Amino acid sequence: MTAKNIENINQLNNLRKMSAQYQQRSKIDIFKFTLLSYSLQKWKSVCINYECERAGDAEIINAYIKEILPHADIKNKRSISANDFIDNLKKYQPNDWIFFATNNDHPIMSNEIINFDILKKEAEKYSDSFLTSILYSHLPEAYLSIKFGTKLYGYNRLNPKIIDETDNSFHVKYNNYCLDSIHAYKSSQLLNFFLEDLGSKKRIIRPENLSSYFSRGKHIVIVPKGRISEHFDGYLHTRDLAFNYIKFHDQPPIFIPNGFFEKKYSINFTDSPETLKNISLKNNFEVSSCKRASLYSFQSNRGVDLKCCREELPIIYAVNARNITLKCSSCICKPEKKIYFNVMFKYLILSSFRFVRNYLYFLYKLINIRKSK
């Protein structure tokens, strides 16, 4: 582990100590929170394969899954080889789309039920000719890497190109396979990749472990506009992204409200953070939100837990709330579904400015060199 990694982890730990709501949660609570967020969406079927570090915890998790996803197929064994994944995938029809979630800490944080049918329809325009997938997490990172001129353009793939855009998504072509564990894939295409590693003795727990990962090949990725899943710890676990491009105050980590599973917490919205001053310190079961606030509760005791209006509240927070109160006269707002634009535009302008500055500096040096001759 590098010094930069340690610095990020320390900053994350310190951040979570600064707020009653943002405090660190157990792996089990994060897993349960993630599962509940998935249960709020519409699925044709659900298959959950997992293992617990402590054998006794499986009984608790199984009971919870049966409560929120009563028709789920549960196996208390994690897939660790190509054969394991093939056994699970072969029961699906070739044209079925799989929300392939090999992470247990990427809850869905959308403020509405995701219309995956629209995204599937867009993806199927390409799936007969190319490997095609739907990205569902790390979307802020994607917005900063798919358009030429943005700060992260091409940082992890060769020359991504936006070949189409709709009201719902960007259609991006890569020259390498993006077999990451944050995509939805067509069953037949996903199965073929695991079949290539059939008989391999190496441990395979996610697509990144496949031999074809990052292989040369055209890949079309549908990048949705708006929120779907997010990593529980935000970007503070990364070495460079958090510190240089995606700041924790722009993309904060996720929190589980105190009293969440007991349904004991309330959410208060206001148009002025002053009306919620120190509310997290006074009552640990109160979640505060103000869209106009400048600081989060992990930055100041004058800060708020969320920066959103009622219409933007993730449904995972609303579902277990004891009550939701609007302590303001203007809490109704238009949800910012297309958050990608502001992020992309800011960095496109910044990158353009730096390009012009560097170009002018180059001309200045060139002129001085000629004058000196």
Side-chain angles (χ1 to χ4, degrees):
M1 184 176 292
T2 66
K4 196 72 170 179
N5 291 129
I6 295 173
E7 183 182 353
N8 289 16
I9 292 171
N10 288 340
Q11 185 169 355
L12 175 62
N13 292 337
N14 290 336
L15 180 153
R16 291 204 177 277
K17 292 177 183 178
M18 297 300 294
S19 169
Q21 296 296 351
Y22 279 86
Q23 63 182 285
Q24 185 60 51
R25 299 291 181 174
S26 68
K27 291 181 180 180
I28 288 181
D29 280 351
I30 295 172
F31 186 36
K32 288 170 63 178
F33 183 82
T34 302
L35 288 171
L36 182 60
S37 75
Y38 293 167
S39 74
L40 303 174
Q41 303 297 319
K42 297 178 180 179
W43 309 107
K44 181 179 178 181
S45 64
V46 178
C47 176
I48 302 173
N49 299 344
Y50 78 97
E51 289 181 17
C52 291
E53 294 176 351
R54 297 181 302 182
D57 291 336
E59 187 175 345
I60 299 172
I61 297 295
N62 285 350
Y64 186 73
I65 294 174
K66 291 175 182 178
E67 177 186 345
I68 62 174
L69 291 162
H71 302 296
D73 178 13
I74 307 171
K75 294 180 181 178
N76 294 125
K77 180 182 180 301
R78 183 178 188 178
S79 298
I80 59 172
S81 69
N83 288 352
D84 289 340
F85 283 103
I86 290 169
D87 286 342
N88 287 308
L89 289 170
K90 66 184 182 182
K91 63 185 177 184
Y92 299 109
Q93 296 299 314
N95 289 327
D96 284 343
W97 281 83
I98 310 297
F99 188 89
F100 200 62
T102 55
N103 301 290
N104 60 10
D105 58 354
H106 283 245
I108 292 177
M109 301 302 292
S110 172
N111 65 330
E112 61 187 359
I113 304 297
I114 304 296
N115 192 336
F116 286 109
D117 287 339
I118 291 178
L119 297 173
K120 282 165 47 182
K121 186 176 181 180
E122 294 185 8
E124 285 170 351
K125 289 169 53 179
Y126 310 99
S127 60
D128 287 342
S129 304
F130 303 98
L131 169 65
T132 308
S133 63
I134 302 168
L135 186 70
Y136 65 78
S137 192
H138 284 272
L139 292 172
E141 178 183 335
Y143 303 146
L144 295 181
S145 65
I146 60 175
K147 193 173 182 65
F148 181 76
T150 51
K151 291 293 288 186
L152 296 179
Y153 174 72
Y155 83 105
N156 64 346
R157 301 286 182 251
L158 293 175
N159 302 320
K161 180 181 179 181
I162 299 176
I163 58 175
D164 197 7
E165 179 182 354
T166 69
D167 290 340
N168 307 294
S169 69
F170 295 101
H171 302 176
V172 184
K173 182 173 73 173
Y174 292 98
N175 293 322
N176 292 78
Y177 292 146
C178 309
L179 297 180
D180 297 328
S181 52
I182 50 175
H183 291 245
Y185 300 92
K186 183 174 279 191
S187 173
S188 57
Q189 292 186 336
L190 188 58
L191 181 61
N192 286 336
F193 281 112
F194 283 104
L195 285 170
E196 290 179 12
D197 281 296
L198 184 64
S200 171
K201 295 182 179 180
K202 68 178 181 179
R203 189 169 187 260
I204 297 176
I205 60 173
R206 59 184 72 237
E208 288 91 333
N209 301 133
L210 292 168
S211 59
S212 51
Y213 178 61
F214 208 63
S215 296
R216 190 79 175 171
K218 303 298 182 184
H219 186 174
I220 306 297
V221 179
I222 306 301
V223 180
K225 298 176 179 179
R227 301 176 80 175
I228 300 185
S229 290
E230 296 176 12
H231 183 246
F232 192 81
D233 285 334
Y235 283 90
L236 285 170
H237 67 299
T238 63
R239 185 175 62 183
D240 299 317
L241 290 177
F243 280 80
N244 297 327
Y245 306 117
I246 303 178
K247 304 294 186 179
F248 66 87
H249 47 75
D250 293 326
Q251 185 71 26
I254 295 169
F255 68 91
I256 300 175
N258 292 314
F260 178 81
F261 296 107
E262 300 80 15
K263 302 182 180 181
K264 292 171 59 176
Y265 67 100
S266 299
I267 304 176
N268 295 314
F269 289 89
T270 181
D271 52 7
S272 173
E274 288 299 314
T275 63
L276 295 174
K277 181 180 177 182
N278 294 334
I279 194 167
S280 293
L281 298 178
K282 294 177 181 178
N283 189 340
N284 284 346
F285 297 112
E286 298 283 349
V287 175
S288 57
S289 183
C290 177
K291 191 174 179 66
R292 300 175 185 175
S294 58
L295 298 173
Y296 280 100
S297 58
F298 55 75
Q299 296 174 291
S300 167
N301 60 10
R302 295 176 179 269
V304 295
D305 303 313
L306 296 168
K307 291 183 185 180
C308 67
C309 61
R310 174 64 182 90
E311 287 73 19
E312 295 169 330
L313 181 70
I315 54 177
I316 182 61
Y317 285 142
V319 68
N320 273 7
R322 181 168 49 109
N323 56 65
I324 298 176
T325 306
L326 304 180
K327 295 185 177 181
C328 56
S329 58
S330 58
C331 285
I332 299 177
C333 67
K334 185 177 181 179
E336 295 181 359
K337 292 183 180 179
K338 299 175 183 177
I339 57 174
Y340 72 91
F341 182 80
N342 291 334
V343 176
M344 182 180 291
F345 191 64
K346 178 174 74 172
Y347 285 100
L348 179 59
I349 289 178
L350 181 61
S351 298
S352 300
F353 170 76
R354 287 176 176 170
F355 173 80
V356 172
R357 182 190 63 187
N358 293 338
Y359 180 70
L360 290 176
Y361 180 73
F362 169 76
L363 289 179
Y364 170 77
K365 296 288 287 185
L366 184 62
I367 292 171
N368 283 345
I369 290 172
R370 288 182 176 178
K371 283 183 178 180
S372 64
K373 292 181 179 180

